[in-house]
Amino acid sequence: MPSRAVRLKRKPFGSMLSVAAVALAMSGAHAAERRDLPLSAGWQFHQGDVTGAEASAFNDKGWATVSLPHTWNHMAGTAERAADYNAARGAGWYRLRFTPPADYAGRKVWLQFDGASINTEVWLNGVKLGVHKGAFGRFRFDATAALKRGKANVLAVRTDNSSPAVAGSPTAEVIPMSGDFFLFGGLYRQVSLIDTDLVHIDMLDWGGPGVYAHTAALDGTASIEVNSRVKNDGAKAQAVVVKTTIVDATGATVASDSHPLTVAPGALEEPTRTLSVPNPHLWDGKADPYLYRVVTRVETAEGTLLDQVTQPLGIRTFRFDPDQGFFLNGRHISLHGVSRHQDRPGKGWAISPADQAQDMDIMLDLGINTLRLAHYQHDQAIYDLADRDGVVVWAEIPLVNRTAPETPEGDKGITTPAFAANADSQLHELIKQNYNHPSVVTWSIGNEVNLMAAVGRGVSNARPLLTQLNKAAYDLDHTRPTTMADCCEPWPDQPKPGVDVVAEITDLLGYNRYQGWYYDKPEDLGPVLDRLHKLHPRLPLSVSEYGGGGGLTQHTDEVQTGVVYPKGHFHPEELESRLHEIWWAQLKARPYLWGTFIWNMFDFASDSRTEGDMVDTNDKGLVSYDRTMRKDVFFFYKADWSDQPVLHLNGRRYVDRAYPVTDIQAYSNAASARLSLNGRDLGTAPCPEHICRWPAVRLDAGDNVLTATAEVKGRPVSDSITWRFGGKADEIRIRAGASAGLTSAVGARYGSDAFVTGGEPHDRNPGPETGKPDKVATPVTGTPDTKLYDTYREGAFSYRVPVPAGRYQVTLHFAEPALAAGGRVFDVAANGQVVVKHLDVAAEAGGPLKALDRTVTIDVKGGDGLALDFRPVTGQAVVSAIDVVAAR
């Protein structure tokens, strides 16, 4: 029997479009037509649990008045927690008084919740309508019996976003168990009241539209299969006609079908009809995201309308090849894009359609053609926008970090039936509600599900649940392949006890790889991917995450020379840019990757992080949390991915410069660019791989206005920034081993480690490494500047300090980090002459962690600057800081 992947390749992948019931104005609507009454304003809210709040007569005076969407949680995006910080997880109550139209009599009425977190209980006029468990999918309850038509009604809703790790938590078996993102509470998406005829298109099919279409065949003519679920909630059998029409973008009918049907009382019928669209206009990604619409009408035999649902339709085929990547409509497309979280500062998950549109506009400006909606089902608005704009989508359920509850049994990898059922229900919601989006090409059934086991927190036994979910996804939708994102696959020759291999369960696979950030070197990414490709030669692979932190207020003078801890408190923006330059060069050179997804498009809330220049925030975004700042690296990708002319000078937020000499870099899709400084022409630089560099530019004292100009496809472009240099050309102070500069106790400005080759940087302070600032290293004694000695460079290394000719006082700052006398001996040469011979820092200072300074006078001739060579004799050489100051 052929594998699922083989079966999928034998047939074109179908699709449909977004869920969108036709919402009509309340006044003047035909009585038979479906109507949608938003319930957005006038809610009363109380954070915390309350006894009896479900009762209609409950006194909620004193509760806050809020509008939807709403969350009580506020956090992230700031250097310190703001006054309105609120990360409390638990219950939140909402109550609403409303009066529906009187003509709801004789009709079915439904309450629809587009998203509520995490668990939701709903009462209408004191009658409990139901419970929903899961923070991300749409759900509906039948409100017909409890509703008072034309009279005042009281709707009470209890939401609960308690942590599943808390003993007795109501979310203990509701995915996700954990994740590097905050789970905001509340009614964070819209609530509405929908009325239909007693005979209607199904409203209780996992929150889906009840109409599902896909392309069954495409060969000159498109065969579109449409499944319509028709429900009769009346007491008598009803003869109906199900009319299905496909209309094009102009509104013209291109295919139609009429199917008579008799629906018994209480019965559900699911007719599937095939419609032919001649000479179809294909949905072709960003090149041509053409959309049809499927209109399904349920009418009486006499032609009276009972219900109607409209769904967009995109006609396309696609496939994935393990060696050649992704093909859309037979044409190869290199998918490059981002992952995205949905939160914003001050709003959390309670974002508006305008926010969704702005996010998409920013991503399109970057030039993405694919989007991973991580790690959960997002609001319908973003899928609709992806359909409209031709962006290929990876859609995902929130099975994150582990596949078992946060319990002792779960730590053993035991998945409970309730946990598995919840994962299955959220998968049903994801697929049913998004089946009709042509943008969606794959369903993801998990992310880093063996991470906790890989870091020593329990055992991973993910395969049974993943296998079950993979089958469920295929049963729900045979037109799309499944995928997942894996972080922690053990190598065959390096097994990890308790960590299972999950590759080859799904049809496709993504790898979350952080070479050069959390582990290894950035240049290792490509070779690691090649090894994985060789390990799984028939499995189409993607890179589902790669990235590193970038603080908008944190900067370094030279990337990759100082220590940066991934969970630390210094994430220079320049390093983020450099890492992406290295990563992207390797990724774009590997055509077997069907897609690549940067982690992340925007900074986002994560209460597990206190790193970079913000609290409660993951700073790996290309754009700031508030969407106001595009980091330098944004323009690197825009220059590669976008058709727009790009010329962007980097380092505009690092205004006050530490050194008088620096490299200047720009990102551009021009062949070359010209640079001037304060009006002086610095010449033209080529821009290979969209990177233009002007090395060793000497700055003026005071303001330095840098202006770059270029021409892209016949269009002139320019960019200008201003830096300031407040030092002197003949004074350079280097903080060895450090990625950040500092100002000493006497006011001397030190830049970060620069002008160096060889050796290894070290940071003695464990606080940045662990993300815990309360842990500090034992301070070096004998100096007022203890922080200057927290970092050092060790090994055999050389500095080339770019000072002009002249006489200099060179002061070398040392502190033996650990060894006793005799354990480390080295020489220091200046411009080839040994000026410090057989130095034993511990012996001369009187032991480790004691400051020792050596000052020598050196004449620098010509324009080559000062060369300082640290030459080991016994062990390795070491230095903490270097002062090169003109002798006056």
Side-chain angles (χ1 to χ4, degrees):
M1 182 176 180
S3 68
R4 174 183 173 190
V6 172
R7 291 200 304 271
L8 284 169
K9 289 175 183 175
R10 287 180 178 171
K11 63 195 311 182
F13 291 107
S15 73
M16 214 171 89
L17 243 122
S18 69
V19 173
V22 177
L24 301 173
M26 294 309 300
S27 59
H30 190 286
E33 292 181 290
R34 178 181 296 203
R35 297 175 293 183
D36 189 326
L37 175 65
L39 302 176
S40 302
W43 290 82
Q44 304 301 116
F45 169 72
H46 175 81
Q47 184 180 342
D49 227 342
V50 181
T51 300
E54 70 276 12
S56 297
F58 179 83
N59 184 359
D60 55 21
K61 289 184 178 179
W63 286 21
T65 300
V66 301
S67 295
L68 304 187
H70 175 265
T71 180
W72 63 82
N73 295 123
H74 299 281
M75 59 187 301
T78 54
E80 297 180 356
R81 286 175 174 167
D84 64 348
Y85 170 83
N86 185 345
R89 296 184 64 174
W93 277 90
Y94 295 84
R95 288 171 55 85
L96 176 70
R97 293 169 177 83
F98 69 99
T99 301
D103 65 357
Y104 277 3
R107 295 176 64 77
K108 293 291 290 185
V109 184
W110 319 86
L111 271 167
Q112 176 171 294
F113 294 77
D114 290 340
S117 179
I118 296 174
N119 290 357
T120 308
E121 299 174 82
V122 179
W123 293 263
L124 181 60
N125 300 320
V127 177
K128 190 168 187 176
L129 300 186
V131 177
H132 180 265
K133 295 184 177 183
F136 306 105
R138 174 195 291 129
F139 57 97
R140 303 184 182 114
F141 294 126
D142 186 344
T144 308
L147 187 75
K148 298 177 181 178
R149 294 146 176 84
K151 300 179 181 179
N153 287 253
V154 178
L155 176 60
V157 182
R158 181 185 183 274
T159 63
D160 193 330
N161 71 333
S162 295
S163 169
V166 176
S169 172
T171 65
E173 296 176 302
V174 180
I175 65 170
M177 292 293 95
S178 62
D180 183 17
F181 57 98
F182 187 77
L183 276 81
F184 292 84
L187 294 178
Y188 73 92
R189 292 182 188 154
Q190 290 294 344
V191 176
S192 57
L193 197 68
I194 300 172
D195 75 302
T196 68
D197 192 88
L198 295 179
V199 179
H200 55 87
I201 296 170
D202 192 11
M203 292 290 287
L204 297 180
D205 188 28
W206 301 98
V211 174
Y212 308 96
H214 70 268
T215 304
L218 182 59
D219 185 13
T221 296
S223 295
I224 309 299
E225 288 188 1
V226 183
N227 172 258
S228 302
R229 295 169 57 92
V230 181
K231 183 75 186 327
N232 182 3
D233 282 316
K236 298 180 180 180
Q238 177 73 59
V240 300
V241 178
V242 179
K243 293 184 176 180
T244 305
T245 304
I246 298 176
V247 299
D248 66 15
T250 70
T253 297
V254 296
S256 61
D257 177 82
S258 183
H259 178 63
L261 190 69
T262 298
V263 189
L268 173 71
E269 297 290 341
E270 298 185 67
T272 297
R273 309 296 291 173
T274 299
L275 288 78
S276 295
V277 178
N279 303 312
H281 192 154
L282 301 185
W283 187 91
D284 202 30
K286 290 180 68 176
D288 187 8
Y290 189 87
L291 296 175
Y292 292 89
R293 286 177 294 140
V294 176
V295 182
T296 301
R297 294 168 59 91
V298 180
E299 299 178 356
T300 66
E302 296 74 30
T304 301
L305 177 65
L306 300 177
D307 197 12
Q308 175 175 300
V309 166
T310 299
Q311 291 289 286
L313 168 69
I315 300 174
R316 81 282 189 266
T317 64
F318 62 88
R319 65 183 178 90
F320 298 85
D321 185 275
D323 295 315
Q324 301 178 62
F326 178 75
F327 291 80
L328 179 64
N329 301 322
R331 176 172 54 92
H332 178 264
I333 296 178
S334 178
L335 292 179
H336 50 258
V338 295
S339 295
R340 178 226 188 207
H341 273 297
Q342 64 186 0
D343 58 303
R344 286 185 172 226
K347 294 183 176 183
W349 288 347
I351 59 176
S352 68
D355 294 330
Q356 304 272 10
Q358 184 190 37
D359 277 8
M360 182 58 82
D361 287 345
I362 295 172
M363 292 186 286
L364 291 173
D365 183 52
L366 177 68
I368 70 164
N369 61 12
T370 189
L371 173 62
R372 181 185 177 206
L373 293 174
H375 292 299
Y376 41 77
Q377 182 176 338
H378 289 228
D379 186 79
Q380 284 297 303
I382 200 71
Y383 300 91
D384 290 338
L385 291 167
D387 293 343
R388 183 198 69 185
D389 295 317
V391 175
V392 171
V393 168
W394 163 319
E396 188 162 284
I397 64 168
L399 187 65
V400 182
N401 290 0
R402 57 190 293 154
T403 56
E406 291 271 6
T407 61
E409 291 76 16
D411 290 341
K412 298 176 183 177
I414 300 174
T415 302
T416 63
F419 184 100
N422 184 260
D424 183 75
S425 70
Q426 294 201 47
L427 179 66
H428 273 72
E429 290 175 345
L430 176 74
I431 294 177
K432 285 288 189 176
Q433 293 170 31
N434 297 286
Y435 185 97
N436 295 326
H437 290 289
S439 56
V440 177
V441 299
T442 182
W443 305 117
S444 173
I445 62 173
N447 174 76
E448 298 188 352
V449 295
N450 47 20
L451 175 62
M452 291 297 99
V455 299
R457 290 179 52 190
V459 173
S460 174
N461 183 32
R463 292 188 66 86
L465 178 58
L466 293 175
T467 301
Q468 172 188 328
L469 293 174
N470 192 66
K471 181 181 184 303
Y474 186 76
D475 290 343
L476 287 164
D477 179 11
H478 67 275
T479 72
R480 294 177 176 93
T482 55
T483 191
M484 64 176 300
D486 182 59
C487 64
C488 309
E489 177 177 343
W491 297 109
D493 58 342
Q494 296 175 324
K496 298 178 183 177
V499 181
D500 51 352
V501 176
V502 297
E504 302 195 27
I505 294 175
T506 53
D507 303 306
L508 318 171
L509 189 65
Y511 281 108
N512 297 349
R513 306 307 304 179
Y514 290 93
Q515 264 72 25
W517 184 246
Y518 290 121
Y519 43 75
D520 300 339
K521 296 179 180 179
E523 295 82 3
D524 295 334
L525 175 60
V528 166
L529 293 173
D530 291 343
R531 187 179 177 188
L532 291 166
H533 180 45
K534 185 177 181 179
L535 189 62
H536 306 291
R538 292 181 293 181
L539 183 62
L541 301 181
S542 68
V543 176
S544 39
E545 293 181 19
Y546 69 102
L552 287 165
T553 65
Q554 296 178 331
H555 304 285
T556 189
D557 297 286
E558 189 168 318
V559 298
Q560 294 184 280
T561 55
V563 176
V564 172
Y565 294 115
K567 295 184 179 180
H569 298 280
F570 189 72
H571 291 169
E573 183 181 5
E574 293 78 9
L575 178 59
E576 181 186 29
S577 297
R578 181 59 186 140
L579 290 173
H580 275 283
E581 293 169 9
I582 297 170
W583 290 327
W584 180 238
Q586 298 171 83
L587 294 175
K588 68 189 299 185
R590 284 164 170 79
Y592 61 79
L593 295 171
W594 64 259
T596 59
F597 301 85
I598 297 168
W599 190 263
N600 196 280
M601 185 64 210
F602 307 102
D603 293 342
F604 60 91
S606 176
D607 59 336
S608 65
R609 292 181 181 266
T610 55
E611 57 192 52
D613 57 359
M614 294 177 288
V615 295
D616 305 308
T617 309
N618 188 312
D619 64 348
K620 293 186 182 69
L622 305 184
V623 176
S624 63
Y625 190 33
D626 63 4
R627 279 61 171 172
T628 62
M629 290 283 190
R630 290 161 165 82
K631 301 178 188 180
D632 285 340
V633 68
F634 177 97
F635 295 93
F636 170 66
Y637 284 105
K638 181 175 180 177
D640 196 302
W641 296 352
S642 171
D643 292 332
Q644 303 174 56
V646 176
L647 178 60
H648 174 85
L649 282 165
N650 294 347
R652 65 195 55 228
R653 281 168 285 277
Y654 183 15
V655 174
D656 293 308
R657 311 298 294 194
Y659 293 132
V661 176
T662 185
D663 295 346
I664 296 173
Q665 179 171 293
Y667 293 137
S668 182
N669 46 15
S672 62
R674 182 173 293 276
L675 182 69
S676 68
L677 190 158
N678 289 337
R680 299 193 308 275
D681 184 16
L682 299 183
T684 298
C687 304
E689 302 301 324
H690 308 298
I691 304 168
C692 328
R693 288 193 178 98
W694 293 265
V697 173
R698 187 167 293 276
L699 302 180
D700 294 341
D703 285 353
N704 289 261
V705 178
L706 295 162
T707 301
T709 58
E711 188 173 277
V712 180
K713 297 179 180 178
R715 295 174 57 184
V717 288
S718 64
D719 191 28
S720 184
I721 60 176
T722 300
W723 291 346
R724 288 189 294 273
F725 176 61
K728 298 177 180 178
D730 53 7
E731 291 187 8
I732 291 180
R733 293 179 172 86
I734 302 168
R735 189 183 178 203
S739 58
L742 60 74
T743 300
S744 73
V746 296
R749 173 80 180 274
Y750 286 83
S752 64
D753 205 355
F755 317 118
V756 64
T757 56
E760 293 292 334
H762 296 274
D763 190 331
R764 295 176 49 251
N765 188 341
E769 183 176 19
T770 60
K772 297 178 180 178
D774 55 329
K775 292 187 176 182
V776 295
T778 302
V780 168
T781 60
T783 175
D785 282 314
T786 58
K787 287 187 176 297
L788 195 61
Y789 298 85
D790 280 346
T791 64
Y792 59 94
R793 182 163 289 274
E794 183 179 43
F797 51 91
S798 300
Y799 284 86
R800 297 296 182 264
V801 186
V803 290
R807 174 163 288 191
Y808 290 88
Q809 296 292 324
V810 178
T811 301
L812 306 175
H813 302 271
F814 304 102
E816 171 54 52
L819 301 179
R824 186 193 308 272
V825 179
F826 57 93
D827 296 340
V828 181
N831 287 342
Q833 300 297 315
V834 175
V835 293
V836 177
K837 187 174 180 62
H838 284 28
L839 178 63
D840 185 333
V841 177
E844 295 199 25
L849 302 182
K850 296 179 184 294
L852 176 70
D853 295 346
R854 283 292 188 90
T855 300
V856 295
T857 301
I858 300 172
D859 289 324
V860 175
K861 299 178 181 180
D864 293 332
L866 172 64
L868 293 173
D869 298 314
F870 291 76
R871 301 170 177 174
V873 176
T874 300
Q876 301 294 332
V878 67
V879 69
S880 287
I882 301 170
D883 298 356
V884 181
V885 180
R888 292 182 174 87

